[in-house]
């Protein structure tokens, strides 16, 4: 694995074998299926459960919320760790549905690379483009998997052109498909000159691989019909002339993406992709923080919370904070300093996730993701260290695009509702605003589906039926400025003012005109659509 900074010492072997990555895609490109096959090859599960299969077989391992299992979509980002060959993979599954994009943005701050899944028939879709842009902001290395090649899909060159044009990144083929749709037989592995054939009969079987000496090898004719073989030779020759060759350094810098073709549901092309992640994916990278960067090889432990999931186990009101280890070698029972409160925390029962199963984590290294059960002490953006006051930077919080007021079905339970809303706000599932005038709460989300998820979770987890009603406000902005300037704004515009769950002042707007008016009348105050998750 090539290191970008040559003067840095080599990473300890245990850290160097870590590969921490997220899978990004448009909904329905096959991300959950691919995740399952990863777990299958990593030996973490015995049989992949189909996402949309019937009855009992439908319990996909990585979707644990009831709503995810009912709808076949992933709405909460889950983390899974498993071994593959000499590597330790930490895979963070992200919601593909655009209504949950904020959760995904945050998840991308906790990984070192992304695997982009593209549907062979649809190419680059809107949500893929959005997520890709976030990877771009962080210069994340990207590996591409073009899925569903066993269905009618587009011409291979078209797909590659579209990625290059829409995403402005060099694409280099790591494998080349043989036939498409019904005629799809497998791929030619361009990196290792091997022929990979797909077995349509057994979906959980690893494809057979045949060693070939280049494309002129007569052995090819034994396995591939003449017309497809001729097409393969022509296309590969063109690809080798027209497309850039694989440059591992350019991949690490995020300027080039290798692309593998396959069919996740038929377990085809997945193993090659996993080999590619091991070979071309980055080792754990330095983490930006203030007052200084955190390097993975440091001996002292540091990590940050990028996600909080409440009620993972509905029988216990538990909350699990997902912690990305940024440096050091963590051992169970260690005392770490919670930088925001400056208090020590003994981490006595950290967990590692294996899809829906969890096990106690006796140790973890930089690059790993562990879950820390807690009762609300840990929030998104918190940093835990062995004493040094470091704060990880760059974890965003976005202004909600949809606002609704929420009321408990039973007015006597308003207090319970407040508790439930605060819990979801700290988890990052929604923004909760308490208006300065009037009663009730205003809930803000990025996408409409989140109201449904929230309503169903409050009812399931707290036994509280709630109703959402339209609000006069359409958006919210955080207010920044000197205290007297902010107070002046607040006192003159009480009907627009609210506080978020951290107690920060928020200006609720109805029209763009409201924002323009504040900009004009209060030059000392700035309204911001994002807030860094820092304390």
């Amino acid at each position: 694995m090539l290191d970008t900074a040559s003067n840095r010492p080599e990473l300890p072997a245990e850290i160097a074998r870590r590969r921490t990555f997220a899978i990004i895609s448009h909904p329905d490109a096959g991300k959950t299926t691919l995740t399952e096959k990863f777990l299958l090859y990593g030996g973490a599960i015995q049989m992949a459960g189909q996402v949309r299969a019937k009855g009992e077989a439908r319990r996909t391992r990585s979707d644990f919320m009831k709503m995810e299992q009912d709808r076949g979509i992933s709405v909460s980002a889950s983390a899974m760790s498993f071994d593959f060959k000499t590597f330790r993979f930490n895979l963070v599954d992200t919601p593909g549905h655009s209504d949950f994009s904020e959760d995904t943005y945050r998840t991308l701050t906790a990984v070192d690379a992304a695997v982009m899944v593209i549907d062979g028939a649809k190419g680059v879709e809107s949500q893929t483009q959005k997520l890709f842009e976030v990877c771009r902001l962080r210069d994340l290395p990207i590996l591409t998997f073009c899925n569903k090649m066993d269905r009618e899909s587009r011409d291979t060159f078209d797909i590659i052109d579209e990625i290059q044009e829409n995403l402005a990144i060099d694409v280099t083929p790591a494998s080349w498909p043989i036939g498409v749709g019904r005629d799809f037989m497998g791929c030619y592995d361009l990196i290792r000159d091997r022929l990979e054939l797909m077995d349509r009969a057994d979906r959980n079987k690893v494809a057979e691989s045949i060693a070939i000496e280049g494309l002129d090898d007569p052995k090819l004719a034994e396995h591939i019909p003449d017309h497809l073989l001729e097409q393969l030779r022509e296309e590969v020759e063109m690809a080798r002339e027209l497309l850039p060759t694989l440059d591992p350094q350019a991949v690490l810098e995020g300027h080039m993406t290798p692309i593998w073709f396959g069919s996740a549901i038929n377990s085809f092309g997945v193993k090659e992709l996993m080999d590619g992640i091991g070979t071309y994916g980055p080792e754990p990278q330095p983490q930006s923080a203030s007052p200084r960067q955190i390097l993975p090889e440091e001996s002292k432990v540091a990590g940050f919370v990028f996600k909080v999931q409440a009620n993972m186990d509905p029988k216990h009101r538990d909350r699990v904070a997902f912690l990305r280890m940024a440096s050091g070698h963590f051992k169970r029972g260690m005392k770490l300093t919670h930088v925001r409160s400056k208090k020590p925390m003994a981490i006595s029962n950290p967990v590692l996730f294996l899809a829906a199963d969890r096990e106690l984590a006796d140790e973890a290294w930089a690059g790993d993701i562990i879950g820390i059960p807690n009762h609300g002490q840990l929030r998104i953006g918190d940093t835990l260290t062995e004493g040094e006051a470091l704060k990880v930077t760059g974890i965003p919080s976005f202004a909600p695009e949809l606002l609704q007021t929420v009321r408990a079905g039973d007015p006597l339970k308003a207090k319970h509702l407040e508790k439930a809303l605060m819990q979801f706000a700290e988890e990052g599932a929604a923004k909760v605003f308490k208006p300065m005038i009037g009663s009730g709460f205003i809930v803000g989300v990025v996408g409409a589906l989140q109201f449904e998820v929230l309503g169903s979770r409050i009812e399931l987890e707290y036994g509280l039926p709630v109703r959402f009603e339209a609000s006069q406000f359409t958006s919210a902005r955080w207010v920044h400025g000197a205290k007297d300037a902010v107070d002046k704004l607040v006192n003159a515009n009480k009907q627009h003012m609210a506080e978020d769950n951290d107690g920060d002042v928020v200006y609720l707007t109805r029209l763009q005109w409201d924002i323009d008016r504040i900009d004009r009348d209060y030059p000392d105050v700035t309204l911001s659509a994002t807030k860094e998750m820092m304390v």
Side-chain angles (χ1 to χ4, degrees):
M1 169 60 219
L2 299 163
D3 196 3
T4 36
S6 52
N7 53 358
R8 276 182 52 206
E10 268 200 12
L11 289 177
E14 204 42 68
I15 295 177
R17 74 183 194 96
R18 300 288 193 269
R19 296 287 179 273
T20 306
F21 60 97
I23 301 187
I24 59 172
S25 79
H26 198 80
D28 284 347
K31 189 173 52 162
T32 305
T33 313
L34 183 64
T35 305
E36 304 241 303
K37 299 295 172 163
F38 277 1
L39 295 174
L40 193 69
Y41 286 133
I45 57 175
Q46 268 54 60
M47 184 189 146
Q50 253 192 293
V51 193
R52 300 198 189 286
K54 294 198 173 66
E56 278 307 302
R58 162 148 126 211
R59 308 281 174 262
T60 320
R61 300 302 296 259
S62 59
D63 290 349
F64 62 81
M65 254 191 216
K66 187 168 184 318
M67 181 162 185
E68 295 179 303
Q69 292 167 353
D70 293 347
R71 288 197 175 202
I73 58 170
S74 307
V75 295
S76 64
S78 43
M80 287 152 257
S81 305
F82 54 95
D83 287 311
F84 174 71
K85 297 191 173 167
T86 57
F87 298 105
R88 174 67 176 219
F89 280 2
N90 294 307
L91 159 62
V92 187
D93 185 30
T94 58
H97 202 289
S98 60
D99 286 4
F100 299 93
S101 49
E102 186 172 352
D103 203 9
T104 308
Y105 291 139
R106 272 193 230 126
T107 301
L108 291 174
T109 58
V111 296
D112 301 312
V115 171
M116 177 164 72
V117 183
I118 285 178
D119 180 328
K122 296 180 185 153
V124 178
E125 296 170 89
S126 57
Q127 184 63 15
T128 318
Q129 195 147 355
K130 261 174 131 176
L131 293 170
F132 178 84
E133 281 157 15
V134 180
C135 297
R136 247 301 140 74
L137 290 173
R138 309 195 57 244
D139 287 329
L140 277 185
I142 290 180
L143 307 165
T144 306
F145 182 69
C146 185
N147 193 15
K148 305 195 181 182
M149 293 305 291
D150 56 327
R151 306 206 187 155
E152 287 314 315
S153 63
R154 290 162 40 181
D155 174 68
T156 313
F157 283 107
D158 283 355
I159 295 170
I160 290 179
D161 283 349
E162 184 177 349
I163 298 173
Q164 288 189 330
E165 277 172 30
N166 285 3
L167 307 179
I169 188 169
D170 289 333
V171 181
T172 177
S175 68
W176 199 265
I178 304 168
V180 290
R182 240 170 241 169
D183 300 337
F184 180 68
M185 295 185 57
C187 285
Y188 186 74
D189 183 334
L190 294 168
I191 296 176
R192 295 177 305 177
D193 270 330
R194 296 182 81 86
L195 178 65
E196 310 284 349
L197 293 180
M198 183 169 93
D199 181 355
R200 279 181 185 261
D202 181 1
R203 286 189 154 170
N204 283 341
K205 193 172 141 197
V206 181
E208 60 176 312
S209 164
I210 300 152
I212 301 286
E213 301 298 321
L215 282 167
D216 302 328
D217 192 323
K219 264 199 295 192
L220 279 169
E222 297 168 23
H223 301 284
I224 306 176
D226 292 348
H227 67 287
L228 286 179
L229 182 54
E230 197 177 319
Q231 186 188 352
L232 173 71
R233 284 181 174 142
E234 261 175 42
E235 287 185 351
V236 169
E237 195 173 316
M238 274 172 66
R240 283 187 165 150
E241 277 182 23
L242 298 172
L243 298 168
T245 49
L246 181 60
D247 170 3
Q249 190 59 39
V251 174
L252 286 184
E253 287 165 6
H255 306 316
M256 173 184 276
T257 176
I259 182 167
W260 284 264
F261 293 87
S263 159
I265 199 133
N266 289 303
S267 304
F268 182 75
V270 178
K271 190 170 149 301
E272 290 70 38
L273 172 64
M274 292 173 82
D275 282 333
I277 295 169
T279 311
Y280 302 107
E283 304 169 331
Q285 294 296 302
Q287 185 64 48
S288 55
S290 72
R292 63 173 188 86
Q293 238 191 357
I294 304 172
L295 301 174
E297 65 269 18
E298 290 174 25
S299 56
K300 293 208 160 170
V301 172
F304 65 96
V305 177
F306 65 94
K307 178 183 169 61
V308 175
Q309 179 72 51
N311 305 338
M312 275 176 88
D313 181 352
K315 294 189 209 58
H316 307 277
R317 278 260 179 275
D318 73 335
R319 305 172 53 163
V320 175
F322 286 74
L323 185 89
R324 154 78 199 235
M325 296 275 303
S327 67
H329 177 199
F330 166 84
K331 296 185 188 66
R332 185 154 77 94
M334 259 181 139
K335 269 204 166 72
L336 295 179
T337 302
H338 180 221
V339 174
R340 174 167 54 93
S341 67
K342 303 187 177 60
K343 289 184 180 149
M345 265 182 98
I347 315 292
S348 49
N349 50 356
V351 285
L352 269 179
F353 300 94
L354 260 180
D357 305 327
R358 337 173 177 182
E359 48 184 70
L360 272 180
D362 284 317
E363 57 169 8
W365 295 80
D368 283 338
I369 287 169
I370 55 174
I372 301 179
N374 68 95
H375 294 291
Q377 301 95 314
L378 292 175
R379 310 213 307 234
I380 293 171
D382 275 352
T383 309
L384 293 176
T385 67
E386 269 189 76
E388 194 179 343
L390 294 168
K391 288 181 179 174
V392 167
T393 53
I395 301 179
S397 176
F398 297 95
E401 292 164 25
L402 300 165
L403 297 174
Q404 289 191 356
T405 52
V406 57
R407 302 200 185 286
D410 174 355
L412 298 174
K413 294 203 167 155
K415 205 78 198 135
H416 295 297
L417 176 63
E418 180 171 351
K419 195 173 154 205
L421 289 174
M422 286 306 156
Q423 183 141 350
F424 288 122
E426 286 178 16
E427 186 184 310
K431 301 280 177 295
V432 176
F433 303 117
K434 179 94 178 85
M436 292 184 179
I437 290 180
S439 63
F441 290 91
I442 292 178
V443 173
V445 296
V446 179
L449 184 62
Q450 279 177 288
F451 284 125
E452 246 179 273
V453 172
L454 215 63
S456 86
R457 284 186 62 191
I458 292 175
E459 189 156 350
L460 270 170
E461 295 168 19
Y462 292 87
L464 267 184
V466 292
R467 57 174 195 274
F468 290 102
E469 294 161 1
S471 156
Q472 57 166 338
F473 301 112
T474 55
S475 169
R477 292 287 181 271
W478 282 281
V479 180
H480 302 288
K483 189 176 180 317
D484 48 347
V486 173
D487 289 347
K488 188 176 144 196
L489 167 77
V490 170
N491 293 330
N493 298 276
K494 275 259 161 77
Q495 71 283 11
H496 281 273
M497 304 313 295
E499 287 187 348
D500 70 3
N501 60 300
D502 295 326
D504 290 335
V505 178
V506 175
Y507 177 75
L508 301 172
T509 71
R510 286 174 299 216
L511 311 160
Q512 180 60 38
W513 183 85
D514 288 330
I515 297 177
D516 297 341
R517 182 179 67 88
I518 297 296
D519 285 347
R520 189 186 66 230
D521 296 352
Y522 299 89
D524 307 343
V525 171
T526 49
L527 298 181
S528 151
T530 57
K531 160 175 133 170
E532 184 134 326
M533 302 290 273
M534 278 194 37
V535 186

